[in-house]
Amino acid sequence: MDAEHHRRRVLQDALAQALASFWDRRAAALEAALPRPGDFVGSATPEEIQARTQRLLEAIAACRVHAELLAGTEAFTDEITSVLREVS
């Protein structure tokens, strides 16, 4: 990977993280990772599963709050979307 490609990718990642939609997608991905009844848990204890669930729920809530905060910056979001199109 050349330096210019790397710089573009870093910029794309930084700008994407400034969009509410990025954090909504991240929350959805974490929700998909929540344990479900019938999941194979290996040697994990119920306490370990509960602790993992709690960490995931906290991360999901943080992502949703982040998305809500960014959603209030519509003009800023439009600018970022425009720049993302340019560097893609």
Side-chain angles (χ1 to χ4, degrees):
M1 177 183 326
D2 68 345
E4 179 60 27
H5 177 77
H6 181 71
R7 278 192 291 275
R8 283 177 178 259
R9 190 67 196 135
V10 168
L11 179 60
Q12 284 176 317
D13 289 345
L15 292 172
Q17 289 182 31
L19 298 172
S21 59
F22 172 90
W23 294 100
D24 285 331
R25 285 190 308 275
R26 179 72 180 138
L30 291 170
E31 286 170 343
L34 285 168
R36 294 178 217 5
D39 280 354
F40 176 75
V41 295
S43 62
T45 65
E47 292 79 18
E48 291 169 332
I49 295 168
Q50 181 57 37
R52 178 176 180 258
T53 299
Q54 187 58 40
R55 285 191 307 273
L56 284 168
L57 291 172
E58 290 169 4
I60 292 165
C63 288
R64 295 281 183 221
V65 167
H66 202 132
E68 287 176 23
L69 290 172
L70 290 173
T73 58
E74 293 301 322
F76 184 62
T77 301
D78 291 342
E79 249 181 73
I80 291 170
T81 303
S82 173
V83 171
L84 281 173
R85 282 193 202 110
E86 290 176 21
V87 297
S88 295

